Amino acid sequence: MYPDGVCQLPGGLFTKTVEYEDINYSVASSEDQSAIFNGWSAFLNYFDSALPFQLSFVNRRAHSASRYKVNIPAQQDAYDSIRGEFVSMLKRQIAKSNNGIDRAKYITFGVPAGSLGEARPRLERVEADVVGNLHRLGVQSQPLDGRERLAVLHGQTHPGSREPFRFSWGDIPRTGLGTKDAIAPSEGFDFSQPRLFRVGRYWGAASYLQILASELSDKLLREILELDAELTVTMHIQTVDQLKAIKTIKGKVSDIDKMKVEEQKKAIRAGYDPDILPPDLITFSKDAADLLADLQSRNERMFLLTFTIINLAPTRQRLENDVFTVNGIAQKYNCAIKRLDWQQEQGFVSSLVLGYNEVEIQRGMTTSSTAIFVPFMTRELRMGGQALYYGMNALSHNIIMADRKKLKSANGLYLGSTGSGKSFSAKREIINVFLATQDRIIIVDPMGEYAPLVRRLGGQVIEIAPDSPHHINPMDIQLDLGGDESPLSMKADFLLSLCELVVGGKDGLQPIEKTVIDRCVRQVYRELALGLGDGKPPLLQDLYEELLRQPEPEAQRVATALELYCTGSLNLFNHPTNVDLTSRVVCIVLKGLGENLRKIAMHITNDFVTSAVNTNFHNGIATWCYFDEFHILLRDALTASYFVAVWKMLRKKGCVPSALTQNVKDLLASREIEAILDNTDFMVLLAQAQSDRAILAKQLGISEHQLSYITHSNPGEGLLFYGSTTIPFVDRFPKGEIYNLLTTRPEDLKNEPGT
């Protein structure tokens, strides 16, 4: 093994290895599956007869959580009980991931050459082609260097070992030990038995797949790889020269025709109809003719396939059980698993990610029949850094950890019917953001569901209602923020739209009225901008009184409309702010408001969100914003157009907005939703009503199989859309303090102490 990843094998063969990731195949639509299959067929056709290759699927039981990290550091504060519970939940989910099995996929290709110098440029060219071809399929791949290849081989020769791989190229001249010594197990190998072998302390069995079926299923390989067992599935593939393959098949056709003639002669001599031929001969004749047609007229090539399976287990009994299970899967698809009697060593060596085949059992296959072993199942989301927990992959049982900030657009939607776990999922994300980051969180809560959680996180709950003691002054302004936009101009723009909302009418504000309001706004903020007076921001009443001083009759009209909200009965926004708007978590509750007041409250809330995001961005802090009952916010044209602006603009200022709604029809009734959907790369779909499923399938292009995950599904089950990745997920959150903070189910709330 050389440091750049080239391995020299006996017979003048030099190989390299590429590791590749999964893509969504299992949950894809029929059209997408066909496209992936055709792309995989084209990928296989790239390899010519001078380029043998090996597909390896290595399943190993993980003895450490090296691929998963809990990213919530311990801190001595008031949230230790929540932090401890959340970390325990994450560790349990990590331990359950894949039943503790790490799955890896490799492709190893080799070129025959006289020397390393001759092989290296050819291997580099093939490597670039392989990575490029995989990329066209949407598959992420990574060539392995020498140490990484040795680490893979070390894992294969040390099953069940907790011993980490320790090796550096500097060890070779210092110790005199080679790369083989670095990967050899200290307990050695035992290949003395005909049907079993020992590698270290583990038992192993090498078998090959005997293909009996005339047609294969794309589920065969997937079901074997999904087993809760340690195994290595290997496919050594050698392309047959096209002219040689056609010549061979033509020869077989001629042989069959000759046999037909012999059978017909026998029939004539025996005195029966010469068209009556043995059934096997008729079948062989048809198959050979079809095969010849495939090779000559379709984009098919001939491959020689060696399909081996290595099972490994700590005990002989467990090993025999695993082999029996694999054989059961093979029989389901009309195939069989046959033990490699007296060839256990050759079988094991051929399974190593080296590209070296010592098993001389080959099966002729066309491109299509080889490609039916599609190596893809479902895409995984296992990101590091500040990634958040979103449940378990329903197909692979892996933990889902994703970082929304790494998407082109971090904007998100939570869609689900009542009781589907929609707000539970959002609250779980809020707790995760609170524990794993230093970001700020703002929640717009029309129903008051989030208040207990926010209070437990030490946040500020602001109830906006006529009888509430909480007040937000819509005239608050921060003049010291840098940036391209003037804070005063932005505040004037907000107050213009607020007055337009208050004045109402079909045509809204007239040009003269807008001019008067703008003049008054600048006059009201004049002292504050110049640093005069007491430094306190003005109130809405100050704007009202300034409007009364203006000579234009239009000013009187606007002032009269504002009077109700300044000195009238709906004056709750005519007070200085008396809540902590700088708290890390802020929840604005809009419950119990009348129609007029609700529109104005929403508009003032929107301004607060914009202002807070700007301030946080100025201070280098990200902001997560949650808008529950989103369809209510889209009813009014003014707030709807504001949200389109939020979706398009605030993400550039470190904002991660999320909208939640249970009524998809109401949501899609808004003209603005198309702009929102076009700018959304993150979506959580939970159980949907039948009519909503049809709408979503059309709008989002969801396949029939994907729809099954949001049809009559249990709470906490659904589909996660992350960029171009779609993952069916399941979230079984354990009961405890966090669960009680998140749940809104009446039966759970009854059981809570103190309720």
Side-chain angles (χ1 to χ4, degrees):
M1 186 72 74
Y2 295 96
D4 63 350
V6 176
C7 185
Q8 184 174 350
L9 300 171
L13 187 67
F14 294 82
T15 66
K16 287 203 81 173
T17 297
V18 170
E19 181 177 14
Y20 59 97
E21 295 291 330
D22 230 324
I23 55 172
N24 276 335
Y25 180 79
S26 300
V27 294
S29 63
S30 300
E31 295 82 6
D32 289 344
Q33 285 188 342
S34 296
I36 293 170
F37 178 81
N38 292 334
W40 182 241
S41 299
F43 176 83
L44 295 177
N45 278 342
Y46 162 77
F47 296 92
D48 60 29
S49 56
L51 198 61
F53 63 103
Q54 169 186 346
L55 298 172
S56 305
F57 308 93
V58 183
N59 288 7
R60 287 288 169 267
R61 200 167 295 284
H63 291 282
S64 68
S66 57
R67 296 185 76 171
Y68 306 93
K69 293 279 189 284
V70 175
N71 57 358
I72 299 175
Q75 296 178 29
Q76 303 300 318
D77 57 21
Y79 314 111
D80 275 351
S81 63
I82 291 178
R83 187 176 289 109
E85 192 179 322
F86 203 89
V87 167
S88 297
M89 180 276 298
L90 278 181
K91 286 181 176 176
R92 279 197 301 274
Q93 300 295 62
I94 286 169
K96 285 195 292 187
S97 285
N98 252 341
N99 299 313
I101 290 195
D102 277 342
R103 292 177 164 88
K105 298 179 171 70
Y106 307 96
I107 179 165
T108 305
F109 45 87
V111 295
S115 67
L116 176 66
E118 183 186 333
R120 189 168 273 147
R122 291 169 63 189
L123 283 170
E124 286 175 355
R125 187 174 66 252
V126 174
E127 180 188 281
D129 289 344
V130 166
V131 171
N133 290 342
L134 287 171
H135 183 70
R136 274 190 284 279
L137 270 168
V139 178
Q140 299 294 319
S141 59
Q142 175 66 42
L144 300 185
D145 62 25
R147 192 185 185 285
E148 289 167 336
R149 284 191 73 180
L150 287 172
V152 173
L153 294 167
H154 180 271
Q156 289 188 283
T157 55
H158 291 76
S161 173
R162 297 174 183 270
E163 178 189 340
F165 179 57
R166 294 187 179 92
F167 172 79
S168 72
W169 298 103
D171 294 341
I172 294 176
R174 187 168 52 80
T175 62
L177 300 175
T179 51
K180 280 186 181 177
D181 300 300
I183 63 168
S186 54
E187 294 94 345
F189 299 98
D190 179 3
F191 292 104
S192 59
Q193 299 188 53
R195 293 169 63 82
L196 298 168
F197 65 89
R198 291 288 295 272
V199 49
R201 297 178 182 177
Y202 263 54
W203 291 90
S207 313
Y208 71 94
L209 182 74
Q210 187 179 42
I211 300 170
L212 306 172
S214 57
E215 289 188 2
L216 288 165
S217 168
D218 59 357
K219 295 183 176 66
L220 172 58
L221 179 62
R222 189 186 87 198
E223 289 196 25
I224 293 174
L225 296 180
E226 284 179 343
L227 283 175
D228 178 17
E230 291 200 56
L231 54 85
T232 299
V233 174
T234 309
M235 287 189 277
H236 285 277
I237 302 173
Q238 172 72 59
T239 310
V240 180
D241 180 76
Q242 189 77 343
L243 292 175
K244 185 180 173 184
I246 290 172
K247 186 178 177 182
T248 303
I249 301 302
K250 280 182 176 177
K252 296 294 180 188
V253 170
S254 297
D255 290 345
I256 291 170
D257 287 343
K258 183 180 175 184
M259 291 167 70
K260 277 185 181 177
V261 171
E262 293 294 330
E263 289 292 334
Q264 286 169 338
K265 284 180 180 177
K266 278 186 201 175
I268 292 169
R269 284 197 298 269
Y272 60 84
D273 190 344
D275 291 333
I276 299 174
L277 295 169
D280 284 350
L281 196 57
I282 295 170
T283 303
F284 293 151
S285 176
K286 182 178 180 300
D287 288 349
D290 289 345
L291 181 55
L292 184 61
D294 285 346
L295 293 177
Q296 285 181 321
S297 59
R298 294 179 60 202
N299 191 23
E300 296 278 321
R301 304 187 73 164
M302 179 63 77
F303 296 110
L304 296 176
L305 171 69
T306 303
F307 192 120
T308 61
I309 300 167
I310 308 294
N311 285 95
L312 294 160
T315 65
R316 285 186 68 165
Q317 184 62 50
R318 177 70 186 269
L319 178 69
E320 294 298 340
N321 289 344
D322 289 348
V323 174
F324 181 79
T325 306
V326 174
N327 196 29
I329 293 171
Q331 286 178 356
K332 187 165 75 169
Y333 296 103
N334 202 10
C335 296
I337 300 295
K338 296 292 184 183
R339 202 71 68 90
L340 284 163
D341 293 339
W342 298 108
Q343 294 186 70
Q344 294 294 299
E345 182 178 350
Q346 289 82 355
F348 179 72
V349 170
S350 300
S351 76
L352 298 175
V353 184
L354 284 171
Y356 192 65
N357 185 16
E358 289 190 355
V359 177
E360 297 180 1
I361 300 172
Q362 294 178 318
R363 166 72 189 252
M365 307 274 278
T366 60
T367 301
S368 298
S369 51
T370 308
I372 202 66
F373 297 113
V374 179
F376 308 116
M377 293 184 285
T378 181
R379 184 77 180 269
E380 300 288 1
L381 264 181
R382 299 179 300 202
M383 302 174 73
Q386 288 190 348
L388 306 180
Y389 166 78
Y390 290 100
M392 305 291 282
N393 189 318
L395 290 171
S396 68
H397 311 295
N398 258 328
I399 193 169
I400 301 171
M401 300 289 288
D403 186 352
R404 285 173 60 179
K405 293 179 188 172
K406 292 188 176 173
L407 286 165
K408 284 187 291 184
S409 170
N411 306 343
L413 286 172
Y414 286 80
L415 305 178
S417 58
T418 305
S420 62
K422 181 176 69 281
S423 59
F424 191 101
S425 298
K427 290 175 190 173
R428 188 201 59 231
E429 185 182 58
I430 289 169
I431 280 195
N432 207 167
V433 170
F434 182 83
L435 297 176
T437 73
Q438 295 301 314
D439 300 343
R440 281 193 65 187
I441 301 162
I442 300 172
I443 305 157
V444 180
D445 179 14
M447 303 304 291
E449 290 181 12
Y450 294 75
L453 172 64
V454 173
R455 290 193 181 100
R456 179 63 185 89
L457 299 180
Q460 173 72 67
V461 177
I462 305 167
E463 294 183 15
I464 296 180
D467 57 348
S468 170
H470 300 153
H471 298 295
I472 295 179
N473 180 9
M475 304 289 284
D476 284 344
I477 190 170
Q478 278 195 290
L479 296 168
D480 56 348
L481 285 184
D484 302 331
E485 297 163 321
S486 159
L488 196 56
S489 297
M490 289 173 65
K491 182 57 72 173
D493 192 48
F494 159 69
L495 289 171
L496 274 169
S497 57
L498 181 67
C499 290
E500 189 162 12
L501 205 59
V502 168
V503 171
K506 194 170 86 171
D507 300 324
L509 292 176
Q510 300 304 309
I512 297 174
E513 292 169 337
K514 290 181 180 179
T515 304
V516 169
I517 293 168
D518 183 68
R519 183 203 307 155
C520 292
V521 167
R522 294 181 184 282
Q523 193 62 33
V524 163
Y525 283 106
R526 185 172 175 275
E527 287 191 357
L528 191 65
L530 294 173
L532 304 173
D534 56 8
K536 291 180 181 177
L539 298 176
L540 206 55
Q541 189 165 347
D542 295 321
L543 178 61
Y544 163 71
E545 289 170 356
E546 188 65 36
L547 282 165
L548 288 175
R549 294 191 195 104
Q550 305 308 308
E552 292 88 354
E554 289 81 2
Q556 305 296 318
R557 176 173 175 262
V558 175
T560 306
L562 270 177
E563 186 177 338
L564 175 64
Y565 303 95
C566 297
T567 59
S569 58
L570 301 181
N571 67 344
L572 68 154
F573 293 113
N574 191 37
H575 301 277
T577 300
N578 65 350
V579 286
D580 182 13
L581 297 181
T582 61
S583 175
R584 189 179 163 200
V585 186
V586 175
C587 176
I588 300 176
V589 179
L590 302 173
K591 192 166 64 170
L593 294 176
E595 186 66 23
N596 287 335
L597 206 51
R598 183 173 57 79
K599 286 183 182 179
I600 291 171
M602 281 183 181
H603 199 56
I604 291 169
T605 300
N606 294 342
D607 179 63
F608 160 68
V609 171
T610 309
S611 174
V613 169
N614 283 330
T615 304
N616 295 336
F617 181 67
H618 179 67
N619 296 327
I621 301 170
T623 314
W624 294 68
C625 298
Y626 293 85
F627 303 93
D628 206 345
E629 305 297 340
F630 189 53
H631 58 279
I632 296 174
L633 307 182
L634 291 178
R635 284 179 192 164
D636 182 66
L638 199 63
T639 49
S641 60
Y642 166 80
F643 275 107
V644 174
V646 166
W647 240 245
K648 288 181 178 177
M649 298 298 296
L650 290 190
R651 65 184 177 86
K652 297 176 184 174
K653 297 190 176 180
C655 182
V656 185
S658 299
L660 295 85
T661 185
Q662 63 190 23
N663 199 324
V664 174
K665 282 192 288 293
D666 280 3
L667 182 72
L668 295 174
S670 170
R671 286 183 305 169
E672 283 78 12
I673 191 61
E674 283 191 22
I676 289 171
L677 281 173
D678 290 343
N679 288 279
T680 300
D681 280 349
F682 179 86
M683 203 175 299
V684 174
L685 292 190
L686 296 140
Q688 303 287 331
Q690 185 175 352
S691 55
D692 289 343
R693 285 198 301 273
I695 295 169
L696 286 168
K698 184 179 178 184
Q699 194 83 23
L700 304 174
I702 302 173
S703 71
E704 283 293 322
H705 185 78
Q706 289 171 340
L707 274 178
S708 68
Y709 289 98
I710 55 173
T711 305
H712 308 304
S713 51
N714 295 319
E717 296 178 5
L719 286 172
L720 175 74
F721 291 78
Y722 182 90
S724 59
T725 303
T726 307
I727 296 178
F729 71 89
V730 177
D731 181 26
R732 301 269 181 271
F733 206 91
K735 294 199 173 180
E737 183 188 0
I738 295 178
Y739 182 90
N740 293 337
L741 288 170
L742 304 187
T743 186
T744 53
R745 294 173 66 189
E747 59 268 34
D748 290 330
L749 295 172
K750 278 181 198 170
N751 298 327
E752 275 189 59
T755 58

